[in-house]
């Protein structure tokens, strides 16, 4: 039996990226119309690391769709330690209609999807953060009215968020410039994959070590924490390496006057971004956070909706 999953924006079939954004906008505009879309459907939420936005938006989201969620922390499962991933996948598939996993290693969600007969949604891994990127592109579309040709500057660590933004740019036809210090560039394999995807849309994916060059003329300026969860021991070294990559008023001045500032949160004010920027009228970080709810509802509907079931 073929089961569809949502592990990476790169994996989306042609047109699915835009269909999900369109569905997200409909869900956001008319939530009552989808109040029974997942009536009686259950979502297992696996967390290897804590979260505010991911847990709340998935748990509230499926409730607003008529379903319910079961939270499973590290103490309940112990993926690959207390119980093999293959057994977790097969057990959960007998009980629930969808599995959302927020894990450290990307291979964990890949393995879950390999053995699960219920759809698996990637809530975050060390390699990708596709739900966040979908919410980001919805936010850009709302504020800028377009994605095709939009110039996006990502300044900071070449991490999971940067990777998923690249795949989203490739799908949407945007121009994404990623500026990172030497040694912190995005994964070369993912850069190449995104550039190959971009051939269809006409998107441009660039990588540089010059934050000013990346931001100059940008419609969107985006950053993320310099010290991701699990890398706390590298904090001092990373703060030194990224010091010139702080998004502050001076760096923002090189962007277009109507540029928006984005951050996936949580942020470390005074490190990757200053209070002056994140509290400015250009900041849309809470719009991004809100849109996690609407995008993830759309993803769950797309994967878990039972054919023939009423949406209202």
């Amino acid at each position: 039996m073929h089961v569809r999953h949502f592990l990476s924006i790169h994996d989306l079939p042609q047109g699915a990226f835009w269909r999900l954004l369109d569905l997200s906008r409909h869900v956001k505009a008319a939530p009552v119309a989808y109040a029974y879309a997942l009536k009686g459907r259950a979502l297992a939420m696996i967390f290897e690391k804590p979260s505010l936005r991911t847990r709340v938006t998935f748990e509230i989201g499926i409730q607003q769709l008529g379903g319910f969620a079961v939270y499973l922390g590290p103490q309940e499962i112990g993926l690959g330690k207390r119980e093999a991933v293959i057994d977790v996948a097969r057990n959960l598939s007998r009980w629930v209609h969808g599995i959302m996993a927020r894990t450290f290693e990307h291979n964990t969600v890949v393995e879950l999807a390999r053995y699960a007969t219920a759809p698996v949604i990637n809530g975050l891994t060390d390699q990708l953060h596709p739900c966040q990127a979908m919410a980001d592109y919805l936010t850009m579309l709302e504020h800028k009215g377009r994605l095709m040709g939009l110039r996006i500057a990502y300044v900071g660590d070449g991490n999971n968020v940067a990777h998923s933004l690249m795949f989203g740019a490739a799908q949407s036809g945007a121009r994404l410039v990623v500026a990172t210090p030497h040694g912190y560039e995005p994964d070369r394999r993912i850069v190449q994959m995104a550039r190959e995807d971009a051939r269809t849309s006409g998107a441009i994916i660039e990588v540089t070590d010059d934050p000013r060059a990346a931001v100059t003329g940008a419609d969107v300026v985006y950053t993320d924490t310099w010290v991701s969860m699990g890398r706390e021991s590298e904090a001092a070294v990373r703060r030194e390496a990224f010091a010139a990559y702080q998004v502050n008023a001076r760096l923002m001045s090189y962007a277009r006057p109507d540029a928006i500032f984005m951050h996936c949160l949580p942020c470390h004010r005074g490190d990757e971004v200053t209070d002056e920027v994140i509290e400015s009228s250009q900041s849309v970080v809470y719009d991004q956070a809100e849109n996690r709810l609407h995008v993830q509802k759309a993803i769950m509907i797309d994967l878990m909706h039972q054919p023939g079931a009423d949406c209202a």
Side-chain angles (χ1 to χ4, degrees):
M1 180 179 68
H2 176 69
V3 181
R4 291 189 303 121
H5 306 288
F6 183 76
L7 305 187
S8 170
I9 295 173
H10 168 72
D11 298 332
L12 293 176
Q14 188 172 12
F17 174 84
W18 292 104
R19 286 196 297 272
L20 280 174
L21 286 184
D22 189 52
L23 179 57
S24 301
R25 297 175 82 178
H26 281 286
V27 169
K28 183 175 182 176
V32 175
Y34 297 89
Y36 300 99
L38 296 182
K39 183 178 180 181
R41 312 294 271 179
L43 176 73
M45 305 192 309
I46 299 174
F47 284 85
E48 286 190 335
K49 55 174 73 173
S51 168
L52 171 64
R53 279 152 295 279
T54 301
R55 177 172 181 179
V56 173
T57 52
F58 269 108
E59 191 160 344
I60 295 297
I62 194 165
Q63 289 179 19
Q64 291 179 351
L65 296 171
F68 57 95
V70 178
Y71 174 84
L72 299 168
Q75 65 276 16
E76 279 86 18
I77 297 181
L79 276 171
K81 298 173 183 176
R82 178 180 175 273
E83 190 161 1
V85 174
I86 184 174
D87 292 323
V88 172
R90 287 174 172 170
N91 275 274
L92 287 177
S93 295
R94 298 294 182 102
W95 305 321
V96 302
H97 306 95
I99 302 167
M100 187 284 297
R102 180 181 171 91
T103 68
F104 284 99
E105 294 184 12
H106 184 70
N107 190 57
T108 301
V109 297
V110 172
E111 194 173 356
L112 276 170
R114 182 179 299 128
Y115 296 110
T117 54
V120 174
I121 301 170
N122 179 0
L124 174 143
T125 68
D126 57 1
Q127 181 174 297
L128 297 171
H129 201 351
C131 292
Q132 178 65 56
M134 291 299 299
D136 295 336
Y137 282 101
L138 174 61
T139 307
M140 294 180 212
L141 187 59
E142 289 176 336
H143 282 272
K144 292 300 177 181
R146 65 185 174 95
L147 295 180
M148 183 75 69
L150 202 67
R151 182 179 174 111
I152 307 163
Y154 175 91
V155 180
D157 191 15
N159 59 12
N160 52 2
V161 172
H163 292 160
S164 286
L165 285 173
M166 286 191 289
F167 285 141
Q171 291 270 0
S172 66
R175 179 182 182 182
L176 174 64
V177 185
V178 177
T180 68
H182 289 298
Y184 297 93
E185 298 90 350
D187 186 294
R188 291 181 181 179
R189 182 180 62 88
I190 291 178
V191 174
Q192 184 58 37
M193 289 167 64
R195 285 174 173 166
E196 289 174 2
D197 291 348
R199 292 174 184 171
T200 302
S201 67
I204 299 173
I205 312 292
E206 299 177 82
V207 179
T208 180
D209 63 354
D210 187 341
R212 177 175 169 178
V215 169
T216 298
D219 299 292
V220 179
V221 180
Y222 196 125
T223 192
D224 189 13
T225 179
W226 295 340
V227 186
S228 297
M229 199 176 302
R231 297 186 179 275
E232 289 81 3
S233 62
E234 305 172 16
V237 173
R238 282 176 168 265
R239 285 193 177 96
E240 183 176 353
F242 285 95
Y245 291 78
Q246 182 188 72
V247 179
N248 48 39
R250 181 178 180 183
L251 187 62
M252 284 294 295
S253 71
Y254 295 106
R256 291 177 56 87
D258 62 347
I260 57 174
F261 170 74
M262 303 183 75
H263 193 305
C264 58
L265 303 178
C267 70
H268 296 84
R269 296 167 182 246
D271 282 350
E272 72 270 12
V273 63
T274 60
D275 273 329
E276 184 178 13
V277 170
I278 201 167
E279 295 294 338
S280 73
S281 60
Q282 292 176 284
S283 176
V284 298
V285 298
Y286 302 113
D287 292 344
Q288 291 174 259
E290 178 190 338
N291 281 338
R292 287 286 300 276
L293 173 66
H294 309 303
V295 159
Q296 289 160 192
K297 286 169 72 174
I299 292 168
M300 288 189 286
I301 292 170
D302 183 61
L303 295 178
M304 297 169 61
H305 181 63
Q306 189 173 7
D310 292 332
C311 281

